[in-house]
């Protein structure tokens, strides 16, 4: 298999500018925005964006988080009427894992790598498979199900997010 740029008719400067725009955008870049910024067709911008995103995904797919890894669960979804929090309709459960390194000056740990793993649900069989997804030693916020994962220790404190606005 060749490089990301193989068989492309676009100049390298266009590729490099696209990589810069995609990696530096805080909220992502649409193909339409890339089209306007790079002066190429929408179809070429869409293909370019997806090739870059796929290369970024493949680069990080095999990374194993090691050392101190903090894990928490969350739900992603818009505001809807009805039940809030766990079990609410239209919410997608996922797990966030952050590898941290200690501050050399004794301050708070610094995040190094982050992993977001979407899950179909938080049932025991799904969580058992999570242990083999590249998350090493874990520290958690006290949530019961995460504590059942192999190699997991509680961080010694619990935090509650139940009183905030719905996610």
């Amino acid at each position: 298999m060749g490089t990301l740029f193989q068989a492309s008719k676009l100049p390298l400067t266009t590729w490099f500018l696209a990589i810069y725009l995609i990696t530096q955008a805080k909220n992502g870049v649409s193909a339409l925005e890339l089209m306007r910024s790079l002066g190429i067709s929408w179809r070429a911008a869409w293909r370019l964006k997806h090739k870059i995103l796929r290369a970024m995904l493949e680069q990080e797919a095999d990374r194993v988080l090691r050392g101190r890894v903090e894990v928490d669960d969350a739900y992603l979804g818009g505001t809807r009427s009805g039940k809030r929090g766990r079990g609410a309709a239209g919410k997608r459960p996922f797990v966030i894992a952050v590898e941290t390194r200690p501050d050399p000056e004794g301050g708070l740990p610094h995040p190094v790598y982050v992993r977001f793993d979407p899950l179909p649900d938080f049932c025991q069989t799904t969580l058992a498979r999570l242990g083999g997804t590249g998350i090493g030693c874990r520290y958690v916020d006290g949530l019961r199900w995460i504590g059942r994962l192999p190699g997991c220790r509680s961080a010694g404190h619990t935090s509650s997010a139940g009183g905030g606005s719905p996610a």
Side-chain angles (χ1 to χ4, degrees):
M1 188 164 124
T3 69
L4 183 65
F5 316 111
Q6 182 179 355
S8 174
K9 296 181 180 178
L10 293 174
L12 278 177
T13 53
T14 302
W15 275 94
F16 293 150
L17 181 56
I19 291 168
Y20 173 78
L21 292 171
I22 289 170
T23 59
Q24 299 304 308
K26 190 174 187 178
N27 296 321
V29 178
S30 68
L32 189 61
E33 189 175 344
L34 274 179
M35 176 191 85
R36 292 176 183 148
S37 299
L38 302 174
I40 58 178
S41 71
W42 178 86
R43 188 178 188 138
W46 185 90
R47 197 174 299 129
L48 182 72
K49 176 183 175 183
H50 283 269
K51 279 187 172 185
I52 292 168
L53 291 176
R54 177 168 291 256
M56 291 168 60
L57 176 68
E58 289 171 0
Q59 177 69 28
E60 296 296 318
D62 296 332
R63 181 177 306 280
V64 175
L65 302 183
R66 302 184 188 285
R68 181 183 173 90
V69 178
E70 300 182 25
V71 182
D72 202 359
D73 70 322
Y75 286 87
L76 181 64
T79 305
R80 297 179 185 198
S81 60
K83 184 176 179 179
R84 292 176 43 179
R86 296 187 189 288
K91 305 278 185 176
R92 176 71 191 247
F94 65 99
V95 174
I96 306 125
V98 181
E99 178 181 332
T100 59
R101 300 231 172 99
D103 185 317
E105 298 173 8
L108 293 173
H110 294 284
V112 180
Y113 298 110
V114 177
R115 229 185 127 98
F116 294 87
D117 290 309
L119 303 172
D121 52 42
F122 284 130
C123 73
Q124 194 67 28
T125 55
T126 304
L127 299 174
R129 287 191 302 258
L130 185 63
T133 60
I135 300 173
C137 180
R138 301 166 187 87
Y139 291 84
V140 299
D141 67 356
L143 191 61
R144 223 177 296 134
W145 71 261
I146 296 179
R148 292 186 195 127
L149 293 173
C152 185
R153 295 194 315 238
S154 176
H157 70 279
T158 16
S159 57
S160 173
S165 62

